[in-house]
Amino acid sequence: MARYLVSMESKNAAVNAWVTECAEYLQPNVIKWIDGSQAESDALCEQLVASGTFTPLNPETYPGCYWSRSHPNDVARVEDRTFICTPSKDDAGPTNHWASDTEMSAKMRTLMTGCMRGRTMYVVPYLMGPVGSKFSKVGFELTDSPYVVENMRIMARIGKPALDALGSATNFVRGVHSIGTLDPEKRYICHFPATREIVSFNSNYGGNALQGKKCFALRIASTEARKEGWLAEHMLILGITTPHKTKHYFCAAFPSACGKTNFAMLIPPQGYLNNGWKIETVGDDIAWINVGEDGRLYAINPEAGFFGVAPGTSEKTNPNALASAHKNTIFTNTAFDPVRKEPWWEGLGPCPERLVDWIGNEWSPEMGTKAAHPNSRFTAPASQCPSIDPAWTSPTGVPLSGIIFGGRRPTVMPLVLEARDWKHGVYLGLTMASNTTAAAAGAVGTLRRDPMAMLPFIGYNVGDYAAHWLSFEHRPGIKLPRIFHVNWFRTDEDGRYLWPGFGENIRVLEWMVARIEGKAETVQTAAGSLPVAISRDGLEASDSDIKTLLSISNKDWISEAASQTEYLKTLGSRLPAAMFEENEKLITRLNAA
């Protein structure tokens, strides 16, 4: 071991012993402990530029920014290569790919023996959650990828804050990652909930390799949350301030690339701004939700950055995201303007005269391909967001008034629907469906059920997950938020979107706030409560479109309920009977209507 370790920079004996054990079989030439300093980052970026991984962007328009490309076979999360490793297959449940924890641990040890030979192993201590919060948790990622280190530097609090938070404790998440050879047939993203371990191999893509993100903050954290009585969810967190200076916070769950970041950073129309409405961003992707001393639910954003989808992001759709990404940002798999030395993607604006596409080839529109990969990303510090909420690093989190579920549905789902109660809200979240996007490998545009937008991220049996959600209703002194479902993507027969979306979505939030404050009436339907009306001042939408958006078709919903019945049957024997009861109640109400 002495030939590997020049110095051990942790005072934690358990950390040191684990790093030593891993180095024995990974066999790096050098071990470097990451301290999170700017000087360290500058040196790593210079190294990445020298190796051709990073291309510096225009220092005047994109200071501190870099363009990067991943291997063409490594551009998204690989759900079919992502495993929950437990002793029993039933503990992983029917929605996860399962592997025996002992067998997979041995397999990965064999596959990865010597994989860091000739490379540097970076030891990355990282803190998920605000500094000083009792809800924050510490992880370590051992990686041979300086690209991962630089992205983790943006997405988490790395180095000293993590070591200080851990102290002498031993309850840290242990993560090992290697680029390997990027062989897709030997690509594995493995989670071991019982031992709080993560192993990812042969991928360098963010969702697979940045272990603090989906791996820790959702899959491992969700199992921890169940044990400890909280929730780890694939949710944005936003605050909305009314003209009367009252403020409400919402969490919202949408599948990846369905407008989460746009919603989290929403800029209201000018009329709303003039009247004193304000939207502020706490987080755009993940929420850890705990019960406060007052019985309310409080959410923290465990991340420190945004890992946003670039295509479609523009001054029109999300100016706050663009502003967040104009300095100290890593752009991955976008196109590159070699003249201006700037990133470009479809939807950003006029196409430059010259472009290099995400594969690295000269590109022109006549080629009939996309210049930027549909899942190309920007990794930007959250602190740079113009709409960042002053409480985004609050150690206690922010109190939730509402929880929102939503997906891409061209039909069936109305613009907004309020759940009848908590149990019905859990049912809405569990059975919600959405058209798939490019954020995950596989077919695009296929409708799939995605419980709470957590289908790829629940770290244990989905039936137990539903039971955990339901259990909150029975907590002594609990004050639960209202639950809503939204659908920005309703279309007509020609495929035209009926709702303008983006900033206009504040009109739906306005109605939700009115409901929470007891100031809005509803129309009771079999599916849930719909608005009597929403604010339409300055809204470019016809009466016919609004009528369609704010109504349900019993015929469509009878088919929907039947589909939900079949879906619930796939979720296994651990699914609470209460979910089947909600389904039966829905069918009864529809038949009565």
Side-chain angles (χ1 to χ4, degrees):
M1 266 315 297
R3 70 183 185 278
Y4 301 129
L5 292 178
V6 177
S7 64
M8 190 66 79
E9 298 189 18
S10 167
K11 296 179 181 178
N12 186 302
V15 172
N16 293 346
W18 170 70
V19 172
T20 300
E21 175 193 347
C22 292
E24 289 281 6
Y25 76 90
L26 297 170
Q27 301 173 16
N29 275 25
V30 178
I31 292 180
K32 178 172 176 54
W33 285 72
I34 295 300
D35 61 24
S37 67
Q38 186 62 52
E40 174 186 78
S41 176
D42 291 344
L44 278 175
C45 288
E46 287 180 12
Q47 177 183 327
L48 285 160
V49 170
S51 69
T53 303
F54 273 3
T55 298
L57 296 182
N58 189 319
E60 294 184 3
T61 55
Y62 285 88
C65 295
Y66 297 90
W67 179 64
S68 183
R69 296 182 295 110
S70 66
H71 192 282
N73 76 19
D74 187 35
V75 294
R77 284 183 286 106
V78 282
E79 293 178 17
D80 63 329
R81 307 297 297 174
T82 299
F83 297 90
I84 301 298
C85 307
T86 55
S88 164
K89 185 175 183 179
D90 204 33
D91 287 338
T95 60
N96 285 312
H97 294 284
W98 173 79
S100 161
D101 53 353
T102 53
E103 291 177 8
M104 184 59 85
S105 181
K107 179 176 184 174
M108 296 312 297
R109 179 69 66 101
T110 299
L111 278 175
M112 298 181 75
T113 293
C115 68
M116 292 190 184
R117 197 175 294 130
R119 302 177 182 178
T120 296
M121 182 176 84
Y122 301 93
V123 182
V124 186
Y126 62 96
L127 179 69
M128 301 303 294
V131 173
S133 173
K134 67 179 181 179
F135 304 127
S136 297
K137 295 181 180 292
V138 175
F140 282 77
E141 179 167 2
L142 309 182
T143 178
D144 54 12
S145 169
Y147 170 85
V148 164
V149 176
E150 280 304 296
N151 277 271
M152 283 291 288
R153 183 173 185 270
I154 296 172
M155 294 305 301
R157 288 94 174 164
I158 69 171
K160 190 175 185 299
L163 294 175
D164 289 347
L166 182 64
S168 59
T170 61
N171 60 335
F172 57 94
V173 170
R174 296 156 168 80
V176 177
H177 164 257
S178 174
I179 303 170
T181 62
L182 294 180
D183 180 352
E185 298 301 317
K186 295 180 180 179
R187 184 168 292 155
Y188 291 91
I189 319 299
C190 302
H191 307 76
F192 301 83
T195 52
R196 306 175 83 234
E197 292 179 278
I198 304 164
V199 180
S200 51
F201 187 47
N202 278 319
S203 176
N204 205 31
Y205 170 74
N208 304 324
L210 307 183
Q211 293 184 343
K213 195 163 180 57
K214 309 298 190 186
C215 297
F216 179 176
L218 289 179
R219 297 190 188 99
I220 295 296
S222 66
T223 64
E224 295 293 295
R226 180 191 173 206
K227 295 174 187 174
E228 299 170 3
W230 51 284
L231 294 165
E233 299 298 324
H234 187 211
M235 292 180 172
L236 65 88
I237 314 167
L238 64 79
I240 178 168
T241 302
T242 73
H244 303 292
K245 306 304 179 186
T246 58
K247 190 168 189 177
H248 295 276
Y249 287 97
F250 290 83
C251 278
F254 300 89
S256 294
C258 285
K260 283 179 68 183
T261 300
N262 292 346
F263 192 42
M265 301 179 190
L266 184 153
I267 295 179
Q270 192 59 51
Y272 275 82
L273 293 173
N274 292 344
N275 289 333
W277 289 89
K278 180 189 288 188
I279 301 290
E280 291 170 297
T281 310
V282 178
D284 79 321
D285 193 43
I286 298 175
W288 287 358
I289 304 170
N290 290 270
V291 180
E293 294 180 0
D294 59 358
R296 297 185 68 184
L297 299 188
Y298 285 76
I300 65 168
N301 172 13
E303 300 186 290
F306 303 132
F307 187 62
V309 177
T313 302
S314 67
E315 284 292 344
K316 178 183 178 181
T317 64
N318 198 336
N320 282 328
L322 279 188
S324 303
H326 261 288
K327 61 181 179 180
N328 308 316
T329 295
I330 300 167
F331 296 88
T332 302
N333 293 338
T334 68
F336 174 67
D337 179 344
V339 177
R340 296 181 179 178
K341 296 191 181 302
E342 295 179 350
W344 188 86
W345 52 83
E346 283 75 11
L348 178 62
C351 182
E353 291 185 9
R354 281 191 63 199
L355 273 181
V356 174
D357 68 14
W358 71 274
I359 298 175
N361 299 324
E362 289 284 336
W363 181 91
S364 66
E366 293 75 25
M367 296 172 67
T369 59
K370 298 288 186 182
H373 189 275
N375 194 41
S376 55
R377 299 278 177 159
F378 58 86
T379 316
S383 59
Q384 296 178 177
C385 181
S387 62
I388 201 72
D389 193 290
W392 87 281
T393 56
S394 168
T396 57
V398 296
L400 297 181
S401 296
I403 292 174
I404 303 168
F405 297 112
R408 289 179 175 265
R409 297 297 300 269
T411 60
V412 181
M413 296 302 299
L415 176 65
V416 59
L417 182 76
E418 182 180 355
R420 302 167 73 90
D421 52 34
W422 181 260
K423 193 178 296 181
H424 181 230
V426 174
Y427 176 81
L428 279 178
L430 190 72
T431 58
M432 80 171 185
S434 183
N435 281 8
T436 54
T437 69
V444 174
T446 302
L447 191 72
R448 73 170 179 178
R449 301 277 169 196
D450 192 344
M452 278 74 166
M454 283 281 285
L455 180 64
F457 309 124
I458 303 170
Y460 58 104
N461 190 298
V462 64
D464 295 339
Y465 173 76
H468 181 50
W469 264 84
L470 291 170
S471 72
F472 280 78
E473 188 176 25
H474 307 294
R475 296 280 189 94
I478 197 75
K479 300 172 185 176
L480 293 170
R482 292 175 184 254
I483 296 180
F484 303 89
H485 188 288
V486 299
N487 177 26
W488 317 131
F489 303 99
R490 190 72 179 265
T491 63
D492 63 14
E493 294 179 354
D494 298 322
R496 177 182 64 89
Y497 289 115
L498 302 181
W499 181 248
F502 304 113
E504 301 294 356
N505 292 339
I506 194 173
R507 299 173 189 273
V508 175
L509 282 171
E510 179 185 16
W511 180 78
M512 292 177 182
V513 168
R515 287 293 298 149
I516 290 161
E517 295 181 348
K519 299 174 183 177
E521 296 180 358
T522 64
V523 176
Q524 293 298 319
T525 74
S529 301
L530 300 178
V532 171
I534 59 171
S535 173
R536 293 180 60 183
D537 289 346
L539 180 66
E540 295 183 8
S542 68
D543 291 346
S544 175
D545 286 351
I546 294 298
K547 182 179 179 180
T548 301
L549 288 164
L550 298 184
S551 62
I552 70 164
S553 161
N554 263 37
K555 179 182 177 182
D556 288 347
W557 268 87
I558 287 171
S559 297
E560 175 74 7
S563 172
Q564 291 173 356
T565 303
E566 295 306 309
Y567 172 69
L568 293 177
K569 292 177 182 177
T570 70
L571 298 185
S573 60
R574 294 196 189 186
L575 185 68
M579 293 294 91
F580 287 101
E581 292 166 4
E582 285 297 321
N583 179 251
E584 292 168 2
K585 290 176 184 177
L586 172 60
I587 293 171
T588 299
R589 291 193 300 267
L590 288 166
N591 289 333

